[in-house]
Amino acid sequence: MEKVYLDRFAKIKAEMTLRGIDALLVTDFYSIWYLSGIWNEPYERMYVLYVPVEGSVKLFANRLFNIPANNFETIWYSDSDDCVGILSSHIAEKGKVGVDKTWSARFLIPLMQKNQNVSFVLGSDCVDNVRARKDLKEIELMKEASRINDVVIEKAMAYVHKGVTELEVAEFVAEQFKKEGAEGPSFETIVSFGANAADPHHEPDGTVVQEGDCVLIDMGCRKDHYVSDMTRTAFFKSAPEEYTKIHDIVREANEKAEAFVRPGVPLCEIDAVARSYISDAGYGEYFTHRLGHFCGQTEHEQGDVSAANKDVAKEGMIFSIEPGIYLPGKFGVRIEDLVLVTKDGCEPLNHVDKHWKIIG
Amino acid sequence: MEKVYLDRFAKIKAEMTLRGIDALLVTDFYSIWYLSGIWNEPYERMYVLYVPVEGSVKLFANRLFNIPANNFETIWYSDSDDCVGILSSHIAEKGKVGVDKTWSARFLIPLMQKNQNVSFVLGSDCVDNVRARKDLKEIELMKEASRINDVVIEKAMAYVHKGVTELEVAEFVAEQFKKEGAEGPSFETIVSFGANAADPHHEPDGTVVQEGDCVLIDMGCRKDHYVSDMTRTAFFKSAPEEYTKIHDIVREANEKAEAFVRPGVPLCEIDAVARSYISDAGYGEYFTHRLGHFCGQTEHEQGDVSAANKDVAKEGMIFSIEPGIYLPGKFGVRIEDLVLVTKDGCEPLNHVDKHWKIIG
């Protein structure tokens, strides 16, 4: 096995031992790729990497999957087999077995019925805590995906012109990602004009930009298995003063939070820095979501920067810092970077200016 | 509540009663749309429609979701709340609670720990069995999505020309879907030239078509919440005789299976009709997957046409009939229609000729 995988397994087994978990059912296909280099999207079919603390790793795969020769004993099943029954007979009969958080009830409930002496617990933290701290190769790939994101968001803002719709801007972003060497967007690009920006999850539609509108673009691309994610908010042709002041508040909240990031700081305190700044400015009730989320192979990995998360920042973590203020029916602004936790602070992966500006 | 939803709830409660299920946690967002008209993709956040046999339906939603005014008591939570704790306190304390097959362990395992007197079972059949039989409105939408698919596959086959790559054909298909009024592909279009077709799940890449290659296109589009799915296999410039004979076998297997479909026939027997025909022709080991799958809001809904499925066909069901033969490293052919089970047989939703032909 290559050293990179040996290192990852060793770290995961240390997490398992810490939690008294005897074996893991790793089912997240990103995690399986992370541990093996095997890329397979199983859709609704069962796909499991069984990782006991002692003993050998086994891979359970449908014959239809395109699984290359690999380092593990591979146990194949067909569509007509009872796949949970096969899994049940190969795993521990008792002890504590950790299950991935995304594993679905269709497999978990019948497996629990078959292996009644096993204590099933959530086990994906064992993998996710390791995945949360990117190694050097991963950091290089994340920086490249964010470099492309920086280039394309500037092109997208420059592309916004009289008569353009949100959907057209989103399609422009998708084309530019490919031109710059990414595989495409890693999530549906959010383009929100004016009052649409008051919904943080607005989907781009046929709305045409109007003078004085805010233009919020939240976008990310995927390249070589890793993604980027950033948001900038500008104004089209002119900027109402009330809204530029709010934009300044959000940018300052973003900057203060980023300045506060360093190893050892609880993630909830990073959230609190931005949140209390926005609250003190009188807009607390309009900042309706957590400050950030972890990012890596997907734009939402395990872990977030929220009031509920008491975990501390550690070197190698990459997460978003994205405060926002949303005035229902009127206006919204969000400013988001990805940041990498370094030895003594953090390094933003995005370098596009964050001040409000007028475009168009 | 509109009659369409009242009817659907009544059918689902009948299924629950039949199984002794006291309440359902409906979490599949397609099912929630089906029961409410509320379209919301919750990503990793908790989203539950609680449906007791007796008592009122409740909707559990994150404040971030864009949920319109609706017919249900809506219980909101925020990212900083213990959402499973909130759910736990609002649902039955005992009895049998059915869980959707796709609900993830991240919610199910902690809910099981909190509500230890509840017996959690797989419950989504109660909804899926109703969703499997399309009502008139759904049939109309499915026919429209398949009509577009018919138009676009003929254009795509006509587009295949010297020098073209699989990816270019897939992109052409995506463009044509939009031109014809669909929202886009409902899954990643499969375009496989020559030996690539031997992998039923091949992803289109930079492979350039060569004279004598088979050209397999498996595609579907989405329009107004419903999808289509079909496959045709042609030959570029010339057709090796060995492969045209195999194509004939697959087409005949498809036709025999479709002719066999009618209410009351076990789905496994439909699979057997195609499979035994291919086996008798000497290619049984090269038909490596089930004959078909159900289709509706997504291209893979609950239910399949496989050796393992003893359920019988019922009027209103829509599923695929897609036999294939795959010769590793050499060649592959698959021919797929969607069919609607009618009172006394079935109606294919696809009308494109299935015989092999030479294109380019």
Side-chain angles (χ1 to χ4, degrees), chain A residues 46-87:
Chain A
M46 194 187 79
Y47 184 46
V48 178
L49 190 69
Y50 176 69
V51 182
V53 168
E54 311 273 343
S56 58
V57 173
K58 295 175 189 172
L59 182 67
F60 295 82
N62 191 298
R63 286 184 199 285
L64 275 181
F65 299 154
N66 194 12
I67 305 276
N70 62 71
N71 296 313
F72 315 114
E73 181 188 352
T74 304
I75 293 150
W76 300 98
Y77 70 89
S78 299
D79 277 345
S80 52
D81 291 331
D82 168 18
C83 59
V84 174
I86 293 171
L87 177 65

mmCIF file of all heavy atoms in Angstrom, chain A residues 46-87:
data_model
loop_
_atom_site.group_PDB
_atom_site.id
_atom_site.type_symbol
_atom_site.label_atom_id
_atom_site.label_comp_id
_atom_site.label_asym_id
_atom_site.label_seq_id
_atom_site.Cartn_x
_atom_site.Cartn_y
_atom_site.Cartn_z
ATOM 1 N N MET A 46 -25.251 -0.871 -2.248
ATOM 2 C CA MET A 46 -24.391 -0.965 -1.071
ATOM 3 C C MET A 46 -22.912 -0.956 -1.455
ATOM 4 O O MET A 46 -22.498 -1.661 -2.378
ATOM 5 C CB MET A 46 -24.723 -2.249 -0.289
ATOM 6 C CG MET A 46 -24.132 -2.250 1.116
ATOM 7 S SD MET A 46 -24.352 -3.861 1.947
ATOM 8 C CE MET A 46 -23.019 -4.808 1.184
ATOM 9 N N TYR A 47 -22.123 -0.198 -0.731
ATOM 10 C CA TYR A 47 -20.683 -0.063 -0.996
ATOM 11 C C TYR A 47 -20.034 0.220 0.350
ATOM 12 O O TYR A 47 -20.327 1.258 0.965
ATOM 13 C CB TYR A 47 -20.470 1.093 -1.976
ATOM 14 C CG TYR A 47 -19.064 1.345 -2.444
ATOM 15 C CD1 TYR A 47 -18.226 0.311 -2.867
ATOM 16 C CD2 TYR A 47 -18.568 2.653 -2.503
ATOM 17 C CE1 TYR A 47 -16.950 0.573 -3.337
ATOM 18 C CE2 TYR A 47 -17.299 2.920 -2.977
ATOM 19 C CZ TYR A 47 -16.489 1.876 -3.400
ATOM 20 O OH TYR A 47 -15.225 2.150 -3.866
ATOM 21 N N VAL A 48 -19.209 -0.699 0.820
ATOM 22 C CA VAL A 48 -18.692 -0.611 2.193
ATOM 23 C C VAL A 48 -17.215 -0.991 2.236
ATOM 24 O O VAL A 48 -16.819 -2.022 1.682
ATOM 25 C CB VAL A 48 -19.459 -1.581 3.134
ATOM 26 C CG1 VAL A 48 -18.879 -1.529 4.547
ATOM 27 C CG2 VAL A 48 -20.951 -1.267 3.164
ATOM 28 N N LEU A 49 -16.423 -0.176 2.904
ATOM 29 C CA LEU A 49 -15.059 -0.557 3.268
ATOM 30 C C LEU A 49 -15.090 -0.878 4.759
ATOM 31 O O LEU A 49 -15.364 0.001 5.585
ATOM 32 C CB LEU A 49 -14.073 0.579 2.966
ATOM 33 C CG LEU A 49 -12.590 0.224 3.068
ATOM 34 C CD1 LEU A 49 -12.178 -0.723 1.937
ATOM 35 C CD2 LEU A 49 -11.725 1.479 3.021
ATOM 36 N N TYR A 50 -14.857 -2.157 5.063
ATOM 37 C CA TYR A 50 -14.913 -2.616 6.462
ATOM 38 C C TYR A 50 -13.506 -2.509 7.048
ATOM 39 O O TYR A 50 -12.568 -3.144 6.546
ATOM 40 C CB TYR A 50 -15.419 -4.061 6.497
ATOM 41 C CG TYR A 50 -15.441 -4.679 7.873
ATOM 42 C CD1 TYR A 50 -16.345 -4.241 8.832
ATOM 43 C CD2 TYR A 50 -14.563 -5.711 8.209
ATOM 44 C CE1 TYR A 50 -16.376 -4.816 10.097
ATOM 45 C CE2 TYR A 50 -14.585 -6.295 9.471
ATOM 46 C CZ TYR A 50 -15.501 -5.834 10.413
ATOM 47 O OH TYR A 50 -15.525 -6.401 11.654
ATOM 48 N N VAL A 51 -13.367 -1.695 8.100
ATOM 49 C CA VAL A 51 -12.043 -1.419 8.674
ATOM 50 C C VAL A 51 -12.039 -1.815 10.144
ATOM 51 O O VAL A 51 -12.472 -1.046 11.006
ATOM 52 C CB VAL A 51 -11.698 0.086 8.557
ATOM 53 C CG1 VAL A 51 -10.298 0.359 9.102
ATOM 54 C CG2 VAL A 51 -11.827 0.569 7.112
ATOM 55 N N PRO A 52 -11.561 -3.043 10.456
ATOM 56 C CA PRO A 52 -11.444 -3.412 11.867
ATOM 57 C C PRO A 52 -10.125 -2.861 12.437
ATOM 58 O O PRO A 52 -9.171 -2.669 11.687
ATOM 59 C CB PRO A 52 -11.417 -4.940 11.822
ATOM 60 C CG PRO A 52 -10.877 -5.278 10.465
ATOM 61 C CD PRO A 52 -11.170 -4.124 9.544
ATOM 62 N N VAL A 53 -10.104 -2.603 13.745
ATOM 63 C CA VAL A 53 -8.837 -2.158 14.358
ATOM 64 C C VAL A 53 -7.787 -3.254 14.187
ATOM 65 O O VAL A 53 -6.638 -2.983 13.850
ATOM 66 C CB VAL A 53 -9.044 -1.814 15.847
ATOM 67 C CG1 VAL A 53 -7.696 -1.636 16.537
ATOM 68 C CG2 VAL A 53 -9.857 -0.538 15.997
ATOM 69 N N GLU A 54 -8.205 -4.504 14.422
ATOM 70 C CA GLU A 54 -7.324 -5.657 14.219
ATOM 71 C C GLU A 54 -7.862 -6.452 13.040
ATOM 72 O O GLU A 54 -9.061 -6.636 12.923
ATOM 73 C CB GLU A 54 -7.346 -6.583 15.447
ATOM 74 C CG GLU A 54 -7.151 -5.912 16.783
ATOM 75 C CD GLU A 54 -5.682 -5.774 17.131
ATOM 76 O OE1 GLU A 54 -4.867 -6.491 16.494
ATOM 77 O OE2 GLU A 54 -5.352 -4.952 18.014
ATOM 78 N N GLY A 55 -6.979 -6.961 12.207
ATOM 79 C CA GLY A 55 -7.447 -7.789 11.099
ATOM 80 C C GLY A 55 -7.455 -6.989 9.812
ATOM 81 O O GLY A 55 -7.122 -5.801 9.789
ATOM 82 N N SER A 56 -7.885 -7.671 8.745
ATOM 83 C CA SER A 56 -7.697 -7.048 7.440
ATOM 84 C C SER A 56 -8.943 -6.341 6.936
ATOM 85 O O SER A 56 -10.074 -6.721 7.244
ATOM 86 C CB SER A 56 -7.231 -8.093 6.439
ATOM 87 O OG SER A 56 -8.165 -9.125 6.362
ATOM 88 N N VAL A 57 -8.674 -5.317 6.174
ATOM 89 C CA VAL A 57 -9.728 -4.483 5.594
ATOM 90 C C VAL A 57 -10.399 -5.256 4.462
ATOM 91 O O VAL A 57 -9.734 -5.952 3.691
ATOM 92 C CB VAL A 57 -9.093 -3.176 5.073
ATOM 93 C CG1 VAL A 57 -10.106 -2.342 4.311
ATOM 94 C CG2 VAL A 57 -8.479 -2.379 6.232
ATOM 95 N N LYS A 58 -11.740 -5.134 4.369
ATOM 96 C CA LYS A 58 -12.479 -5.792 3.283
ATOM 97 C C LYS A 58 -13.349 -4.766 2.559
ATOM 98 O O LYS A 58 -13.940 -3.894 3.194
ATOM 99 C CB LYS A 58 -13.404 -6.884 3.842
ATOM 100 C CG LYS A 58 -12.687 -8.041 4.495
ATOM 101 C CD LYS A 58 -13.682 -9.015 5.137
ATOM 102 C CE LYS A 58 -12.938 -10.042 5.986
ATOM 103 N NZ LYS A 58 -13.855 -10.885 6.783
ATOM 104 N N LEU A 59 -13.440 -4.932 1.258
ATOM 105 C CA LEU A 59 -14.273 -4.044 0.450
ATOM 106 C C LEU A 59 -15.473 -4.831 -0.073
ATOM 107 O O LEU A 59 -15.305 -5.902 -0.657
ATOM 108 C CB LEU A 59 -13.448 -3.492 -0.713
ATOM 109 C CG LEU A 59 -14.140 -2.507 -1.652
ATOM 110 C CD1 LEU A 59 -14.462 -1.197 -0.926
ATOM 111 C CD2 LEU A 59 -13.242 -2.207 -2.858
ATOM 112 N N PHE A 60 -16.683 -4.308 0.145
ATOM 113 C CA PHE A 60 -17.922 -4.941 -0.347
ATOM 114 C C PHE A 60 -18.438 -4.125 -1.518
ATOM 115 O O PHE A 60 -18.732 -2.930 -1.370
ATOM 116 C CB PHE A 60 -18.975 -4.998 0.763
ATOM 117 C CG PHE A 60 -18.563 -5.879 1.913
ATOM 118 C CD1 PHE A 60 -17.718 -5.400 2.899
ATOM 119 C CD2 PHE A 60 -18.996 -7.197 1.986
ATOM 120 C CE1 PHE A 60 -17.308 -6.216 3.948
ATOM 121 C CE2 PHE A 60 -18.596 -8.023 3.036
ATOM 122 C CZ PHE A 60 -17.746 -7.528 4.016
ATOM 123 N N ALA A 61 -18.532 -4.767 -2.672
ATOM 124 C CA ALA A 61 -18.864 -4.011 -3.879
ATOM 125 C C ALA A 61 -19.780 -4.812 -4.793
ATOM 126 O O ALA A 61 -19.657 -6.034 -4.897
ATOM 127 C CB ALA A 61 -17.588 -3.633 -4.621
ATOM 128 N N ASN A 62 -20.658 -4.102 -5.475
ATOM 129 C CA ASN A 62 -21.511 -4.715 -6.480
ATOM 130 C C ASN A 62 -20.665 -5.035 -7.718
ATOM 131 O O ASN A 62 -19.792 -4.251 -8.097
ATOM 132 C CB ASN A 62 -22.634 -3.729 -6.837
ATOM 133 C CG ASN A 62 -23.733 -4.366 -7.670
ATOM 134 O OD1 ASN A 62 -23.492 -4.825 -8.787
ATOM 135 N ND2 ASN A 62 -24.938 -4.405 -7.123
ATOM 136 N N ARG A 63 -20.932 -6.179 -8.342
ATOM 137 C CA ARG A 63 -20.169 -6.570 -9.540
ATOM 138 C C ARG A 63 -20.259 -5.528 -10.651
ATOM 139 O O ARG A 63 -19.418 -5.490 -11.542
ATOM 140 C CB ARG A 63 -20.711 -7.887 -10.100
ATOM 141 C CG ARG A 63 -20.336 -9.077 -9.278
ATOM 142 C CD ARG A 63 -20.806 -10.392 -9.892
ATOM 143 N NE ARG A 63 -20.817 -11.412 -8.854
ATOM 144 C CZ ARG A 63 -19.709 -11.987 -8.373
ATOM 145 N NH1 ARG A 63 -18.533 -11.677 -8.862
ATOM 146 N NH2 ARG A 63 -19.791 -12.877 -7.393
ATOM 147 N N LEU A 64 -21.312 -4.725 -10.609
ATOM 148 C CA LEU A 64 -21.495 -3.715 -11.651
ATOM 149 C C LEU A 64 -20.532 -2.549 -11.527
ATOM 150 O O LEU A 64 -20.318 -1.820 -12.480
ATOM 151 C CB LEU A 64 -22.911 -3.138 -11.553
ATOM 152 C CG LEU A 64 -23.997 -3.890 -12.266
ATOM 153 C CD1 LEU A 64 -25.307 -3.163 -12.083
ATOM 154 C CD2 LEU A 64 -23.657 -3.984 -13.747
ATOM 155 N N PHE A 65 -19.993 -2.357 -10.312
ATOM 156 C CA PHE A 65 -19.094 -1.214 -10.129
ATOM 157 C C PHE A 65 -17.817 -1.451 -10.919
ATOM 158 O O PHE A 65 -17.383 -2.587 -11.119
ATOM 159 C CB PHE A 65 -18.738 -1.009 -8.654
ATOM 160 C CG PHE A 65 -19.902 -0.722 -7.741
ATOM 161 C CD1 PHE A 65 -19.826 -1.035 -6.389
ATOM 162 C CD2 PHE A 65 -21.061 -0.134 -8.224
ATOM 163 C CE1 PHE A 65 -20.885 -0.769 -5.531
ATOM 164 C CE2 PHE A 65 -22.126 0.134 -7.372
ATOM 165 C CZ PHE A 65 -22.034 -0.184 -6.022
ATOM 166 N N ASN A 66 -17.198 -0.355 -11.291
ATOM 167 C CA ASN A 66 -15.948 -0.434 -12.039
ATOM 168 C C ASN A 66 -14.789 -0.290 -11.053
ATOM 169 O O ASN A 66 -14.163 0.757 -10.962
ATOM 170 C CB ASN A 66 -15.951 0.690 -13.076
ATOM 171 C CG ASN A 66 -14.873 0.489 -14.103
ATOM 172 O OD1 ASN A 66 -14.266 -0.571 -14.177
ATOM 173 N ND2 ASN A 66 -14.627 1.527 -14.880
ATOM 174 N N ILE A 67 -14.546 -1.360 -10.284
ATOM 175 C CA ILE A 67 -13.539 -1.310 -9.218
ATOM 176 C C ILE A 67 -12.231 -1.882 -9.749
ATOM 177 O O ILE A 67 -12.195 -3.037 -10.178
ATOM 178 C CB ILE A 67 -13.989 -2.159 -8.010
ATOM 179 C CG1 ILE A 67 -15.364 -1.729 -7.523
ATOM 180 C CG2 ILE A 67 -12.944 -2.132 -6.900
ATOM 181 C CD1 ILE A 67 -15.398 -0.582 -6.596
ATOM 182 N N PRO A 68 -11.155 -1.109 -9.731
ATOM 183 C CA PRO A 68 -9.869 -1.638 -10.215
ATOM 184 C C PRO A 68 -9.260 -2.602 -9.193
ATOM 185 O O PRO A 68 -9.712 -2.677 -8.052
ATOM 186 C CB PRO A 68 -9.013 -0.386 -10.345
ATOM 187 C CG PRO A 68 -9.573 0.571 -9.332
ATOM 188 C CD PRO A 68 -11.046 0.267 -9.225
ATOM 189 N N ALA A 69 -8.245 -3.328 -9.627
ATOM 190 C CA ALA A 69 -7.488 -4.169 -8.696
ATOM 191 C C ALA A 69 -7.033 -3.283 -7.548
ATOM 192 O O ALA A 69 -6.659 -2.126 -7.748
ATOM 193 C CB ALA A 69 -6.290 -4.786 -9.413
ATOM 194 N N ASN A 70 -7.074 -3.811 -6.330
ATOM 195 C CA ASN A 70 -6.769 -2.949 -5.175
ATOM 196 C C ASN A 70 -6.113 -3.747 -4.063
ATOM 197 O O ASN A 70 -5.852 -4.938 -4.208
ATOM 198 C CB ASN A 70 -8.063 -2.279 -4.691
ATOM 199 C CG ASN A 70 -9.093 -3.275 -4.228
ATOM 200 O OD1 ASN A 70 -8.935 -3.893 -3.181
ATOM 201 N ND2 ASN A 70 -10.137 -3.471 -5.021
ATOM 202 N N ASN A 71 -5.872 -3.052 -2.951
ATOM 203 C CA ASN A 71 -5.102 -3.627 -1.843
ATOM 204 C C ASN A 71 -5.937 -4.488 -0.904
ATOM 205 O O ASN A 71 -5.409 -5.042 0.052
ATOM 206 C CB ASN A 71 -4.506 -2.494 -1.009
ATOM 207 C CG ASN A 71 -3.503 -1.677 -1.802
ATOM 208 O OD1 ASN A 71 -2.645 -2.251 -2.455
ATOM 209 N ND2 ASN A 71 -3.627 -0.360 -1.755
ATOM 210 N N PHE A 72 -7.244 -4.566 -1.127
ATOM 211 C CA PHE A 72 -8.119 -5.180 -0.132
ATOM 212 C C PHE A 72 -8.744 -6.462 -0.642
ATOM 213 O O PHE A 72 -8.920 -6.649 -1.844
ATOM 214 C CB PHE A 72 -9.237 -4.202 0.250
ATOM 215 C CG PHE A 72 -8.759 -2.806 0.507
ATOM 216 C CD1 PHE A 72 -9.142 -1.769 -0.321
ATOM 217 C CD2 PHE A 72 -7.891 -2.540 1.562
ATOM 218 C CE1 PHE A 72 -8.687 -0.479 -0.097
ATOM 219 C CE2 PHE A 72 -7.428 -1.258 1.791
ATOM 220 C CZ PHE A 72 -7.832 -0.215 0.953
ATOM 221 N N GLU A 73 -9.099 -7.325 0.305
ATOM 222 C CA GLU A 73 -9.950 -8.449 -0.051
ATOM 223 C C GLU A 73 -11.292 -7.867 -0.504
ATOM 224 O O GLU A 73 -11.943 -7.126 0.241
ATOM 225 C CB GLU A 73 -10.158 -9.356 1.178
ATOM 226 C CG GLU A 73 -11.031 -10.563 0.864
ATOM 227 C CD GLU A 73 -11.405 -11.361 2.129
ATOM 228 O OE1 GLU A 73 -10.867 -11.068 3.216
ATOM 229 O OE2 GLU A 73 -12.237 -12.268 2.011
ATOM 230 N N THR A 74 -11.699 -8.159 -1.730
ATOM 231 C CA THR A 74 -12.930 -7.571 -2.265
ATOM 232 C C THR A 74 -14.014 -8.637 -2.326
ATOM 233 O O THR A 74 -13.819 -9.701 -2.912
ATOM 234 C CB THR A 74 -12.686 -6.957 -3.647
ATOM 235 O OG1 THR A 74 -11.622 -6.005 -3.539
ATOM 236 C CG2 THR A 74 -13.933 -6.238 -4.147
ATOM 237 N N ILE A 75 -15.139 -8.354 -1.677
ATOM 238 C CA ILE A 75 -16.254 -9.300 -1.636
ATOM 239 C C ILE A 75 -17.362 -8.753 -2.530
ATOM 240 O O ILE A 75 -17.949 -7.704 -2.255
ATOM 241 C CB ILE A 75 -16.717 -9.507 -0.184
ATOM 242 C CG1 ILE A 75 -15.575 -10.221 0.565
ATOM 243 C CG2 ILE A 75 -18.000 -10.329 -0.133
ATOM 244 C CD1 ILE A 75 -15.499 -9.910 2.005
ATOM 245 N N TRP A 76 -17.583 -9.477 -3.619
ATOM 246 C CA TRP A 76 -18.523 -9.005 -4.629
ATOM 247 C C TRP A 76 -19.923 -9.541 -4.352
ATOM 248 O O TRP A 76 -20.089 -10.638 -3.847
ATOM 249 C CB TRP A 76 -18.098 -9.514 -6.006
ATOM 250 C CG TRP A 76 -16.740 -9.046 -6.424
ATOM 251 C CD1 TRP A 76 -15.564 -9.735 -6.320
ATOM 252 C CD2 TRP A 76 -16.411 -7.779 -6.999
ATOM 253 N NE1 TRP A 76 -14.520 -8.977 -6.801
ATOM 254 C CE2 TRP A 76 -15.011 -7.772 -7.228
ATOM 255 C CE3 TRP A 76 -17.151 -6.650 -7.346
ATOM 256 C CZ2 TRP A 76 -14.352 -6.685 -7.781
ATOM 257 C CZ3 TRP A 76 -16.489 -5.573 -7.897
ATOM 258 C CH2 TRP A 76 -15.106 -5.595 -8.107
ATOM 259 N N TYR A 77 -20.914 -8.753 -4.751
ATOM 260 C CA TYR A 77 -22.292 -9.257 -4.742
ATOM 261 C C TYR A 77 -22.962 -8.784 -6.028
ATOM 262 O O TYR A 77 -22.445 -7.907 -6.725
ATOM 263 C CB TYR A 77 -23.043 -8.776 -3.494
ATOM 264 C CG TYR A 77 -23.351 -7.296 -3.495
ATOM 265 C CD1 TYR A 77 -24.527 -6.816 -4.058
ATOM 266 C CD2 TYR A 77 -22.451 -6.375 -2.956
ATOM 267 C CE1 TYR A 77 -24.802 -5.453 -4.093
ATOM 268 C CE2 TYR A 77 -22.722 -5.019 -2.986
ATOM 269 C CZ TYR A 77 -23.900 -4.564 -3.557
ATOM 270 O OH TYR A 77 -24.175 -3.219 -3.602
ATOM 271 N N SER A 78 -24.102 -9.394 -6.331
ATOM 272 C CA SER A 78 -24.877 -9.012 -7.518
ATOM 273 C C SER A 78 -26.207 -8.409 -7.086
ATOM 274 O O SER A 78 -26.589 -8.513 -5.924
ATOM 275 C CB SER A 78 -25.145 -10.239 -8.381
ATOM 276 O OG SER A 78 -23.927 -10.790 -8.808
ATOM 277 N N ASP A 79 -26.893 -7.814 -8.038
ATOM 278 C CA ASP A 79 -28.178 -7.189 -7.725
ATOM 279 C C ASP A 79 -29.182 -8.180 -7.145
ATOM 280 O O ASP A 79 -30.074 -7.801 -6.388
ATOM 281 C CB ASP A 79 -28.781 -6.554 -8.984
ATOM 282 C CG ASP A 79 -28.204 -5.158 -9.230
ATOM 283 O OD1 ASP A 79 -27.578 -4.601 -8.303
ATOM 284 O OD2 ASP A 79 -28.392 -4.640 -10.337
ATOM 285 N N SER A 80 -29.032 -9.450 -7.509
ATOM 286 C CA SER A 80 -30.015 -10.431 -7.029
ATOM 287 C C SER A 80 -29.628 -11.025 -5.673
ATOM 288 O O SER A 80 -30.375 -11.808 -5.109
ATOM 289 C CB SER A 80 -30.177 -11.540 -8.072
ATOM 290 O OG SER A 80 -28.913 -12.052 -8.416
ATOM 291 N N ASP A 81 -28.450 -10.662 -5.142
ATOM 292 C CA ASP A 81 -28.035 -11.179 -3.827
ATOM 293 C C ASP A 81 -28.631 -10.357 -2.689
ATOM 294 O O ASP A 81 -29.006 -9.196 -2.866
ATOM 295 C CB ASP A 81 -26.504 -11.111 -3.696
ATOM 296 C CG ASP A 81 -25.790 -12.096 -4.604
ATOM 297 O OD1 ASP A 81 -26.382 -13.153 -4.900
ATOM 298 O OD2 ASP A 81 -24.660 -11.791 -5.030
ATOM 299 N N ASP A 82 -28.662 -10.965 -1.498
ATOM 300 C CA ASP A 82 -29.006 -10.252 -0.268
ATOM 301 C C ASP A 82 -27.723 -9.611 0.240
ATOM 302 O O ASP A 82 -26.968 -10.201 1.016
ATOM 303 C CB ASP A 82 -29.576 -11.254 0.748
ATOM 304 C CG ASP A 82 -29.679 -10.650 2.147
ATOM 305 O OD1 ASP A 82 -29.651 -9.416 2.282
ATOM 306 O OD2 ASP A 82 -29.781 -11.440 3.113
ATOM 307 N N CYS A 83 -27.453 -8.398 -0.197
ATOM 308 C CA CYS A 83 -26.133 -7.801 0.088
ATOM 309 C C CYS A 83 -25.934 -7.561 1.577
ATOM 310 O O CYS A 83 -24.831 -7.742 2.102
ATOM 311 C CB CYS A 83 -25.927 -6.529 -0.721
ATOM 312 S SG CYS A 83 -27.146 -5.236 -0.423
ATOM 313 N N VAL A 84 -26.994 -7.172 2.299
ATOM 314 C CA VAL A 84 -26.843 -6.943 3.742
ATOM 315 C C VAL A 84 -26.528 -8.264 4.446
ATOM 316 O O VAL A 84 -25.730 -8.313 5.379
ATOM 317 C CB VAL A 84 -28.092 -6.261 4.336
ATOM 318 C CG1 VAL A 84 -27.986 -6.163 5.847
ATOM 319 C CG2 VAL A 84 -28.274 -4.870 3.731
ATOM 320 N N GLY A 85 -27.138 -9.356 3.981
ATOM 321 C CA GLY A 85 -26.840 -10.674 4.549
ATOM 322 C C GLY A 85 -25.365 -11.036 4.360
ATOM 323 O O GLY A 85 -24.723 -11.566 5.273
ATOM 324 N N ILE A 86 -24.831 -10.767 3.188
ATOM 325 C CA ILE A 86 -23.413 -11.045 2.920
ATOM 326 C C ILE A 86 -22.532 -10.199 3.835
ATOM 327 O O ILE A 86 -21.607 -10.695 4.476
ATOM 328 C CB ILE A 86 -23.102 -10.779 1.429
ATOM 329 C CG1 ILE A 86 -23.829 -11.811 0.555
ATOM 330 C CG2 ILE A 86 -21.597 -10.785 1.170
ATOM 331 C CD1 ILE A 86 -23.766 -11.520 -0.941
ATOM 332 N N LEU A 87 -22.855 -8.917 3.942
ATOM 333 C CA LEU A 87 -22.086 -8.034 4.822
ATOM 334 C C LEU A 87 -22.155 -8.544 6.256
ATOM 335 O O LEU A 87 -21.134 -8.666 6.948
ATOM 336 C CB LEU A 87 -22.653 -6.612 4.724
ATOM 337 C CG LEU A 87 -22.031 -5.563 5.634
ATOM 338 C CD1 LEU A 87 -20.563 -5.312 5.268
ATOM 339 C CD2 LEU A 87 -22.809 -4.243 5.554
#
